[in-house]
Amino acid sequence: MSERRKQFPFDTFEPKWQAHWEARKTFSVPNPGEPGFDPARPKYYVLDMFPYPSGAGLHVGHPEGYTATDIITRYKRQRGCNVLHPMGWDAFGLPAEEHARKTGEHPRINTENNVNNFRRQLKRLGFAYDWDREVNTTDPDYVRWTQWIFLQLYHSYVDETTGRARPIAELEARGLSRDEIDARRLAYVAEAPVNWCPDLGTVLANEEVEEWRAKGHAVERRPLKQWMLRITAYAQRLIDELDGLDWPEGIKLLQKNWIGRSEGAEVDFTIGGETVTVFTTRPDTLFGATYMVLAPEHPLVDKITTPEQRDAVEAYRKVCAAKSDLERTELAKEKTGVFTGGTATNPVNGEAIPVWIADYVMMSYGTGAIMAVPAHDERDFEFAKQYGIPVIEVVKAPEGNTDTCFTGNGIAIHSGFLDGLPTPEAKAKIITWLEEKGLGKKTVNFKLRDWLFSRQRYWGEPFPIIWKEGRHEAIADSELPLLAPELDDYKPSGSPEPILSKATAWVDLGNGVTRETNTMPQWAGSCWYYLRYCDARNAERFISSEAEAYWLGKNGNPGGVDLYVGGTEHAVLHLLYARFWHKVLHDLGHVTTPEPFQKLVNQGLILGEDGQKMSKSRGNVVNPDDVVEEYGADALRLYEMFMGPLEQVKPWSMKGVEGVYRFLARVWRLVFETNQEGEWSRRAAVADVEPSKATNKVVHATIKKVGDDIEAMSFNTAIAQMMVCTNELTGLDPVPVRSIDLLLRVLNPFAPHLTEELHAHLAAAFPDAVPAAELASLDWPAYDESCLVEDELEIVIQVNGKVRDKMTVPREATKEQVEAQALARERVQEHTAGLTVRKVIVVPGRLVNVVAN
RNA sequence: GCCGACGUGGCGGAAUGGUAGACGCAGCAGACUUAAAAUCUGCUUUUGGGUUCCCAAAGUGCGGGUUCGAGUCCCGCCGUCGGCACCA
């Protein structure tokens, strides 16, 4: 294919303009106080989710979102904004470490190579990034501030009365003990079960377990000391404060469901002399509780188990302990459990009910204990059937209910003082009753767990923490960044001990003082990179307050970044984690807004030509480098946008790329023609003539539609309109140079190289008609409303809703005139012959519908 | 199972409740050419009828409804994709 002659010389002018922008720093934007900063212009912050620079390089999914934000960037600049549009690298991660493990080479080297390749690929696409603000999460200068933010969390707690983070120093001033303080830090240490994979010599994140197990590696559960971040303290705010954000409703819902708020009550049961608290969302069904279940790990299990049951209970607990949460749910086709021998007393009626342990109850949610109401809970019902436990109906289902186990709202029955009450009232009444008797209270629970923040890897940020006499302690800010030591090799240690523990000289600080050897997860760097871009080279602070206030500051919205574009795969975790960090920084006075991202757009996945997900094994991966080679960067950009709506999943098509390539070639040929030798020269037809009314109409309609469509991020329809405009101009001779230039100006954000090149030629040839300045520095053109209005309008005439005729009427024709004219039409007469006209609907400027029967 | 998104030509897709199929791909025909490619012009939802162009009927996953008028709004299904999955 590459021997085929190029339809326009993109291979020479694309690199030329890229070099021009780079040399001139066209898209660098100064901060307040810096030379060239224009405070009169409004700010606009456009952010891409920064990539992990993998060894495979860019794939065509990357430029989808990047082109969309690039168009917005160039458009907003032309609209007079100071636009911040940066790029960087989420460069910590397991693949670089795996590579280091195999080669013995420091992961930094491989990471740097990959970053260089990604940067080269992105620059080839002509994106308007401010490369002066590039960040890399693995740079010591960046790591320093990631660690600093971690220490902010470490040195903070959440004040329960205000729900805000406060400095830990306040607790010290109040004289709390070290243990009490440590128990309240936002970053704390806990014993947590981890997924240890002996073959890989590493601990895996929950979401990685399945993948490696499928490849035949064993993954075990092991309790290990872990750093946790107290995100649960922000659960309610993370739900509530979604309200002010311009995010897709589906994504908000995803986050809400992930956080999983549920209202209910805690109720105290007694077992012998012990009190066991259960959590339930249906306290109104308390009279229907026929047994109780404790999680197998529940601390009271030992105490209440009778000697006869002890062996069975112990055996069951052992089986459960070996299973991960995943297995526990995955293998749960049938419910299992063991009777403990103990009985609990139902506080509401004094009845004794048996106490079981079962792994369908989890220690990590609620209180790790439930009251089981098999009549009104599917799981309890299933379990009760399995073990022959009685079912007592306490909620009368509405008429017509056929479920054997009714879980909806109804009327309370067999429930003493609750009888006759609808479910919501019954809930309220029983809660009041429980609270009065001191037997329970209203409670809210969240599914969200605290964030397990430590990894046992090398290629991540070390914790800025040392251990003294069994206690953790922060190192001083002045010692940051704390970098991981060089290792002789990056092979696993063979135990769940972090790899860094092999660096004994680094770990051992003498006098029994040692360094923390865990590292932070990849999420850490991506939690705050959007902040660093605002002030990427600041050596004194993670972001200056001036830069923060300007780029992320209040414009009446809670979110700082004006537009954030990225894939749905980050809909929950990344966005939740970043929001959490941002709120902590906000509480502590480091950032002005409560939310990081005001508007979020998720670009849809691009599939292979076969309609399948792109993957190496399927052999359907499209490499952007190849596309640029053959069709140019503008064609790739344009095709990515022309495929369909940005948010939609859509398959790649090389034929489609050729289509937009042909379109760009048509635009080129508006200005240039070629001779036998393949040399390009300006067409004689291009002239500074007055455009016709029809030409003006198309051109100005295009300016209007493209502007509107960019604002709505409906790029595919904007391109369609520019194709219409080009088709119109193609047929003209002479072709008005001013019209061509207007087309170039609206096409510029989409195809910046081609348009700059043509514009430069036209400006040189027609200095009186075409502005000399390059398009990147020209304002977005205004459209002339008067060009859009027609003197005559085409009106569709329907009879009984079916189109039967069309006519043209003067623009100023009245409804009555239009109606009369329509009724007089021959075709209307034919179709209403023998019928009586009952009604005539006239939609001004559009249609007439004659209703007759 | 629960939650969410989406179903329109051969394909990607367009359509403030007002001409369904813009624009592009693929296909067909013509022009240019010794020829091909490229380019340019035209046609292209289906079916039926007259035949350079027009007429009629059907048509936006399926079945109902609201409306003068529904791809669009409402109700009930079916299908595809994504997320969650014993969270009491």
Side-chain angles (χ1 to χ4, degrees):
Chain A
M1 274 286 234
S2 45
E3 72 271 9
R4 196 167 76 188
R5 198 160 74 191
K6 308 223 177 329
Q7 290 202 27
F8 57 101
F10 61 83
D11 51 332
T12 56
F13 69 68
E14 285 186 354
K16 184 184 95 182
W17 283 101
Q18 286 161 16
H20 175 88
W21 295 325
E22 186 152 0
R24 303 274 183 104
K25 290 189 180 290
T26 305
F27 301 108
S28 290
V29 56
N31 270 0
E34 290 177 356
F37 176 75
D38 181 355
R41 289 167 177 262
K43 71 96 182 179
Y44 198 82
Y45 187 173
V46 196
L47 182 67
D48 292 305
M49 288 188 185
F50 68 164
Y52 172 74
S54 73
L58 222 57
H59 58 81
V60 290
H62 287 113
E64 189 189 15
Y66 298 165
T67 304
T69 53
D70 201 62
I71 291 165
I72 299 283
T73 296
R74 290 170 179 271
Y75 173 78
K76 287 284 181 187
R77 274 172 47 86
Q78 290 168 334
R79 283 292 204 185
C81 294
N82 287 325
V83 180
L84 177 57
H85 186 219
M87 182 43 78
W89 319 106
D90 187 16
F92 278 125
L94 197 53
E97 189 166 337
E98 280 290 310
H99 181 85
R101 181 173 294 171
K102 283 185 206 128
T103 61
E105 186 182 86
H106 194 284
R108 183 172 301 286
I109 298 177
N110 182 248
T111 301
E112 248 168 52
N113 291 341
N114 291 348
V115 163
N116 289 337
N117 188 41
F118 260 68
R119 193 192 299 105
R120 175 192 64 78
Q121 288 187 299
L122 289 179
K123 286 193 172 177
R124 262 191 108 177
L125 296 176
F127 293 135
Y129 291 122
D130 180 352
W131 286 105
D132 290 345
R133 295 169 182 268
E134 177 180 351
V135 301
N136 181 326
T137 55
T138 67
D139 277 349
D141 185 48
Y142 189 93
V143 167
R144 172 184 183 179
W145 297 111
T146 306
Q147 290 171 329
W148 181 84
I149 295 172
F150 171 80
L151 289 180
Q152 298 301 305
L153 286 135
Y154 179 80
H155 291 306
S156 302
Y157 74 103
V158 167
D159 178 339
E160 269 142 34
T161 57
T162 61
R164 311 274 140 174
R166 302 292 308 161
I168 233 57
E170 290 180 359
L171 297 181
E172 288 165 353
R174 271 156 52 184
L176 268 68
S177 74
R178 178 66 202 267
D179 284 337
E180 287 169 324
I181 289 171
D182 283 351
R184 298 189 61 178
R185 292 179 191 276
L186 285 180
Y188 64 97
V189 174
E191 191 92 359
V194 297
N195 306 300
W196 163 245
C197 179
D199 298 354
L200 293 169
T202 186
V203 169
L204 299 173
N206 280 329
E207 54 271 23
E208 293 170 317
V209 171
E210 180 121 33
E211 180 191 340
W212 290 100
R213 206 170 261 165
K215 292 179 184 166
H217 301 274
V219 179
E220 303 165 8
R221 299 285 283 174
R222 290 221 191 163
L224 217 60
K225 263 194 183 163
Q226 299 286 325
W227 284 92
M228 310 287 290
L229 298 187
R230 205 177 300 281
I231 191 171
T232 51
Y234 282 77
Q236 190 63 52
R237 280 170 67 191
L238 286 168
I239 292 175
D240 294 343
E241 293 170 26
L242 284 169
D243 284 349
L245 303 180
D246 306 321
W247 289 20
E249 284 306 314
I251 300 295
K252 287 189 184 180
L253 202 64
L254 224 55
Q255 291 224 345
K256 283 182 191 165
N257 291 343
W258 185 265
I259 297 166
R261 181 185 201 273
S262 54
E263 274 181 29
E266 287 185 351
V267 183
D268 295 338
F269 282 64
T270 50
I271 308 178
E274 302 285 348
T275 297
V276 181
T277 305
V278 302
F279 174 71
T280 177
T281 54
R282 292 298 298 271
D284 60 301
T285 62
L286 200 43
F287 286 88
T290 54
Y291 64 102
M292 174 188 273
V293 186
L294 303 183
E297 306 89 341
H298 198 285
L300 242 43
V301 173
D302 275 334
K303 284 192 187 162
I304 62 161
T305 302
T306 56
E308 311 82 75
Q309 293 300 108
R310 188 152 304 271
D311 286 350
V313 165
E314 282 313 313
Y316 186 75
R317 293 179 89 182
K318 206 172 256 173
V319 172
C320 293
K323 290 190 209 166
S324 69
D325 282 1
L326 202 80
E327 286 172 298
R328 251 163 96 156
T329 58
E330 237 181 23
L331 305 175
K333 293 191 183 81
E334 278 199 345
K335 299 242 178 312
T336 59
V338 173
F339 178 45
T340 61
T343 54
T345 308
N346 188 336
V348 83
N349 56 10
E351 291 213 10
I353 55 174
V355 179
W356 290 65
I357 59 170
D359 67 358
Y360 81 91
V361 173
M362 267 161 289
M363 196 56 224
S364 49
Y365 182 77
T367 60
I370 63 157
M371 63 175 210
V373 185
H376 305 290
D377 182 284
E378 303 269 7
R379 297 149 301 185
D380 297 344
F381 182 73
E382 206 183 311
F383 190 84
K385 262 196 321 197
Q386 185 104 359
Y387 293 100
I389 300 169
V391 177
I392 300 175
E393 191 187 10
V394 290
V395 179
K396 189 157 173 48
E399 285 295 310
N401 173 65
T402 51
D403 298 344
T404 42
C405 171
F406 174 68
T407 58
N409 285 359
I411 305 292
I413 51 169
H414 307 136
S415 293
F417 58 90
L418 298 180
D419 281 353
L421 291 177
T423 300
E425 275 103 284
K427 278 183 184 174
K429 185 160 184 182
I430 187 74
I431 288 171
T432 310
W433 185 89
L434 287 166
E435 285 177 346
E436 277 168 6
K437 305 261 173 189
L439 294 170
K441 59 173 194 230
K442 187 171 180 175
T443 317
V444 173
N445 255 310
F446 297 94
K447 276 201 288 190
L448 185 70
R449 312 289 159 83
D450 275 340
W451 176 10
L452 196 157
F453 194 66
S454 40
R455 302 289 184 272
Q456 292 68 43
R457 291 176 182 151
Y458 178 80
W459 197 224
E461 301 88 347
F463 283 78
I465 294 285
I466 55 173
W467 289 83
K468 254 183 208 169
E469 292 159 10
R471 287 194 183 275
H472 45 75
E473 198 172 285
I475 65 174
D477 286 358
S478 59
E479 288 182 54
L480 302 179
L482 172 67
L483 301 179
E486 304 274 328
L487 296 183
D488 296 333
D489 68 73
Y490 301 89
K491 295 202 175 65
S493 61
S495 78
E497 275 297 293
I499 295 174
L500 285 180
S501 62
K502 296 206 297 184
T504 48
W506 180 82
V507 173
D508 188 1
L509 298 171
N511 300 322
V513 180
T514 57
R515 286 199 192 279
E516 169 65 55
T517 52
N518 280 292
T519 52
M520 298 184 200
Q522 202 178 349
W523 304 112
S526 59
C527 268
W528 73 283
Y529 72 112
Y530 62 95
L531 295 173
R532 189 61 178 169
Y533 282 141
C534 299
D535 202 8
R537 303 292 171 256
N538 193 328
E540 309 299 319
R541 274 182 61 75
F542 74 116
I543 181 174
S544 74
S545 48
E546 296 76 28
E548 194 280 328
Y550 182 71
W551 291 115
L552 297 154
K554 294 189 189 85
N555 44 10
N557 290 325
V561 173
D562 297 280
L563 175 65
Y564 194 23
V565 176
T568 351
E569 65 272 23
H570 296 117
V572 176
L573 295 183
H574 160 62
L575 289 170
L576 202 63
Y577 293 155
R579 292 179 63 217
F580 164 49
W581 277 35
H582 194 93
K583 287 183 188 305
V584 174
L585 292 170
H586 174 63
D587 288 353
L588 297 175
H590 296 305
V591 297
T592 45
T593 58
E595 284 283 337
F597 315 118
Q598 182 59 34
K599 179 171 179 173
L600 175 74
V601 173
N602 289 120
Q603 88 265 21
L605 198 67
I606 294 181
L607 306 173
E609 299 234 27
D610 53 0
Q612 302 286 107
K613 210 168 163 171
M614 279 194 198
S615 76
K616 237 185 213 166
S617 58
R618 285 203 185 86
N620 59 356
V621 177
V622 179
N623 180 345
D625 275 340
D626 298 341
V627 179
V628 172
E629 193 65 40
E630 200 167 333
Y631 302 103
D634 284 337
L636 174 66
R637 294 168 56 111
L638 209 65
Y639 176 63
E640 298 253 3
M641 296 298 99
F642 189 60
M643 292 172 82
L646 183 64
E647 302 85 347
Q648 203 163 299
V649 179
K650 42 210 178 283
W652 186 266
S653 157
M654 272 307 175
K655 288 288 186 189
V657 181
E658 277 189 51
V660 293
Y661 175 66
R662 278 203 283 267
F663 160 64
L664 291 175
R666 282 162 73 85
V667 174
W668 176 263
R669 287 197 307 270
L670 284 176
V671 178
F672 286 109
E673 61 192 359
T674 182
N675 62 13
Q676 289 286 320
E677 284 70 46
E679 291 158 345
W680 294 101
S681 57
R682 198 174 70 251
R683 285 170 69 207
V686 180
D688 185 10
V689 293
E690 195 58 35
S692 70
K693 209 167 174 180
T695 301
N696 265 338
K697 192 188 172 196
V698 172
V699 170
H700 286 266
T702 301
I703 296 171
K704 177 170 161 49
K705 180 155 176 64
V706 172
D708 291 350
D709 283 353
I710 290 175
E711 302 268 4
M713 298 185 78
S714 175
F715 303 112
N716 55 329
T717 52
I719 294 167
Q721 178 64 35
M722 291 187 282
M723 287 173 167
V724 169
C725 183
T726 303
N727 291 345
E728 173 75 17
L729 295 180
T730 294
L732 300 182
D733 189 357
V735 48
V737 67
R738 291 167 199 263
S739 299
I740 298 177
D741 199 53
L742 283 170
L743 170 64
L744 295 178
R745 288 174 65 177
V746 296
L747 179 57
N748 174 257
F750 297 78
H753 311 86
L754 173 87
T755 50
E756 288 285 11
E757 181 71 12
L758 290 178
H759 171 81
H761 274 276
L762 293 181
F766 299 91
D768 297 333
V770 176
E774 61 193 68
L775 294 178
S777 65
L778 284 173
D779 284 346
W780 185 257
Y783 61 89
D784 184 347
E785 193 82 50
S786 70
C787 292
L788 302 181
V789 293
E790 293 266 23
D791 296 334
E792 295 202 307
L793 301 169
E794 190 186 53
I795 302 290
V796 167
I797 306 170
Q798 299 183 334
V799 177
N800 289 331
K802 286 187 198 252
V803 179
R804 297 300 181 189
D805 202 1
K806 288 167 199 177
M807 64 181 185
T808 51
V809 300
R811 178 156 45 94
E812 61 277 3
T814 64
K815 261 187 160 185
E816 289 71 27
Q817 288 168 331
V818 171
E819 178 175 335
Q821 197 178 327
L823 287 171
R825 303 282 292 188
E826 193 185 324
R827 306 257 310 126
V828 173
Q829 297 290 325
E830 282 171 28
H831 282 276
T832 53
L835 303 174
T836 313
V837 173
R838 302 290 176 189
K839 200 171 172 184
V840 179
I841 285 131
V842 180
V843 181
R846 281 215 162 258
L847 63 67
V848 177
N849 189 11
V850 180
V851 183
N853 59 12

